[in-house]
Amino acid sequence: GGLRFDKDRICIIEVWSNQEVLESRCDKRVEKMLARGLVKELQQFHTEYNKLRAEKGDMETLQYDRGIWQSIGFKEFHNYLCLEEGDREGEEGKRLFSDGVDRMKLSTRQYSRRQMKWIRRRFLLNSRSPPPVYRVDSSDPSRWQEKVYQPAEIIVQDFIEGRRPEMEPVEKIDGGEERQEDCRRTMHCDACDRDFKGAAQYRNHLAGSSHRKVARATTDKVIFVMNLTSFNEENRNGVAKIIKNTFGIGLTEVFAKMDSLPAVLTNVVGEAKASNIAKELSKQGIVLEVEKKICRKLSESRDMVELSVGHRDSLEI
């Protein structure tokens, strides 16, 4: 989309470093997180919340493409976290832990590349008529004052006082008109009920494992709607946190649902999984009503039609 403010009112400073230095920093960041207790935090979260999401206890069915579960670390250490506690100290545990570290470092480096690509596409394509981008080099931290702080200070001061900075902005990239026009199109996947910006995103989705899994599903898909009907008012904040972590819903949305009962929290595939979640949450004073629905795929189109079968179970224990 367009910029919120006029480009003449925007000053962009990119704190840049060369790729080799950046990737080394990404690896060190992961090592620092591990030293500060990341694995213990992942283990606790896995035990308290992740197991609730597993259908019939099958940890292989878990998805890591929505909500908080997209965070780097969960999927990378999945196999290690699925081991019994005693097995994590064995040879297989050590191997899976090392693999998790390597995968987390790789995911972090890939994320940094995506951020750089986003900056190029958002602020350096001529077709978008973007504001100037000034780049300061942080490759050598020992020269931070000279290379980063002082140049950035001069740029900001010039900008505030209405002068054009002496430093030359990053050169713009020609092209991008076709891609920009394509990104204005919204393409919808009926099977997954998701929207995508442009044909490229849509093609990548169709080629992905999550879409293929849905496409292989049966024609009539049974889902279970998780309706929040009541909860322990005395522990309102604690309940909100549990719901947020279990279903990957933002806290603002959670509180809004708690204020307008009954409220739909999410849809779940698998009766055993829905029942397990409801029973576990009921131990925390959270009462869910599970409604069974059938999503029927029409033969001539791929639209999914929800048919309520009028079956509701209150799973409070």
Side-chain angles (χ1 to χ4, degrees):
L3 297 171
R4 182 178 178 183
F5 301 104
D6 186 85
K7 68 177 184 178
D8 294 331
R9 299 175 57 197
I10 300 173
C11 178
I12 301 176
I13 300 175
E14 178 190 7
V15 182
W16 178 90
S17 62
N18 68 57
Q19 193 66 32
E20 184 179 348
V21 171
L22 178 61
E23 295 193 352
S24 174
R25 288 175 180 168
C26 289
D27 289 347
K28 290 177 181 178
R29 180 176 187 273
V30 171
E31 292 167 1
K32 184 180 293 185
M33 292 171 69
L34 292 169
R36 292 181 175 178
L38 173 66
V39 174
K40 184 178 179 180
E41 182 180 337
L42 290 174
Q43 289 173 344
Q44 180 182 356
F45 216 88
H46 180 76
T47 300
E48 294 182 3
Y49 302 109
N50 211 12
K51 288 183 178 180
L52 290 175
R53 305 192 304 133
E55 185 175 354
K56 297 180 181 180
D58 183 6
M59 302 301 292
E60 297 303 317
T61 63
L62 290 176
Q63 298 295 313
Y64 291 95
D65 57 357
R66 293 191 177 186
I68 193 174
W69 307 105
Q70 299 176 85
S71 303
I72 296 175
F74 285 120
K75 59 182 177 295
E76 287 77 13
F77 280 95
H78 173 84
N79 293 332
Y80 173 77
L81 295 172
C82 287
L83 291 176
E84 295 296 331
E85 188 170 350
D87 295 334
R88 291 173 184 165
E89 299 300 323
E91 289 300 319
E92 180 67 3
K94 292 178 181 179
R95 184 187 69 80
L96 290 177
F97 177 81
S98 178
D99 180 63
V101 173
D102 291 341
R103 292 179 63 197
M104 187 171 176
K105 287 181 177 180
L106 175 62
S107 295
T108 305
R109 294 194 299 268
Q110 290 174 335
Y111 184 65
S112 73
R113 295 190 195 107
R114 289 197 297 272
Q115 288 179 320
M116 294 172 67
K117 183 182 291 186
W118 182 88
I119 290 174
R120 289 196 298 271
R121 290 177 174 174
R122 189 70 181 85
F123 297 115
L124 296 182
L125 285 178
N126 260 330
S127 59
R128 300 185 69 99
S129 187
V133 176
Y134 298 95
R135 178 176 289 171
V136 291
D137 188 351
S138 67
S139 299
D140 184 356
S142 67
R143 303 179 67 188
W144 178 267
Q145 286 289 329
E146 173 192 352
K147 290 293 211 176
V148 179
Y149 183 85
Q150 292 173 2
E153 185 179 36
I154 293 172
I155 292 169
V156 172
Q157 193 62 42
D158 286 342
F159 176 79
I160 292 174
E161 296 178 2
R163 297 190 300 270
R164 177 175 178 173
E166 292 185 9
M167 177 185 287
E168 288 297 320
V170 180
E171 187 176 352
K172 296 294 187 289
I173 302 171
D174 291 328
E177 291 84 357
E178 293 182 3
R179 173 177 171 77
Q180 184 178 353
E181 183 64 30
D182 179 57
C183 286
R184 291 196 181 103
R185 300 167 55 202
T186 298
M187 306 189 72
H188 184 76
C189 175
D190 296 326
C192 302
D193 191 25
R194 292 179 61 188
D195 291 328
F196 300 91
K197 290 294 185 181
Q201 274 194 17
Y202 184 64
R203 286 194 301 269
N204 290 338
H205 167 71
L206 294 181
S209 59
S210 61
H211 172 79
R212 292 199 302 269
K213 183 176 180 180
V214 172
R216 288 195 299 265
T218 57
T219 301
D220 289 346
K221 179 180 179 182
V222 178
I223 63 172
F224 295 86
V225 183
M226 312 296 287
N227 297 286
L228 176 65
T229 59
S230 66
F231 58 89
N232 181 4
E233 288 282 359
E234 296 180 358
N235 187 29
R236 182 180 177 84
N237 290 339
V239 167
K241 181 179 178 182
I242 292 172
I243 293 175
K244 169 184 177 291
N245 292 332
T246 302
F247 298 109
I249 305 173
L251 272 179
T252 301
E253 184 179 353
V254 171
F255 281 120
K257 291 178 181 293
M258 292 169 67
D259 289 334
S260 57
L261 300 181
V264 175
L265 295 178
T266 191
N267 297 332
V268 172
V269 178
E271 185 173 9
K273 180 179 179 181
S275 177
N276 183 43
I277 292 174
K279 288 179 179 179
E280 289 297 325
L281 293 186
S282 69
K283 298 175 184 178
Q284 308 293 330
I286 304 170
V287 181
L288 299 182
E289 185 179 73
V290 180
E291 179 184 1
K292 182 179 180 181
K293 285 189 175 182
I294 296 177
C295 292
R296 179 156 295 165
K297 187 185 294 184
L298 303 180
S299 57
E300 295 182 358
S301 71
R302 293 189 299 173
D303 295 334
M304 300 296 288
V305 180
E306 284 190 1
L307 304 175
S308 175
V309 298
H311 174 67
R312 290 173 177 264
D313 292 326
S314 181
L315 294 173
E316 179 182 14
I317 5 185

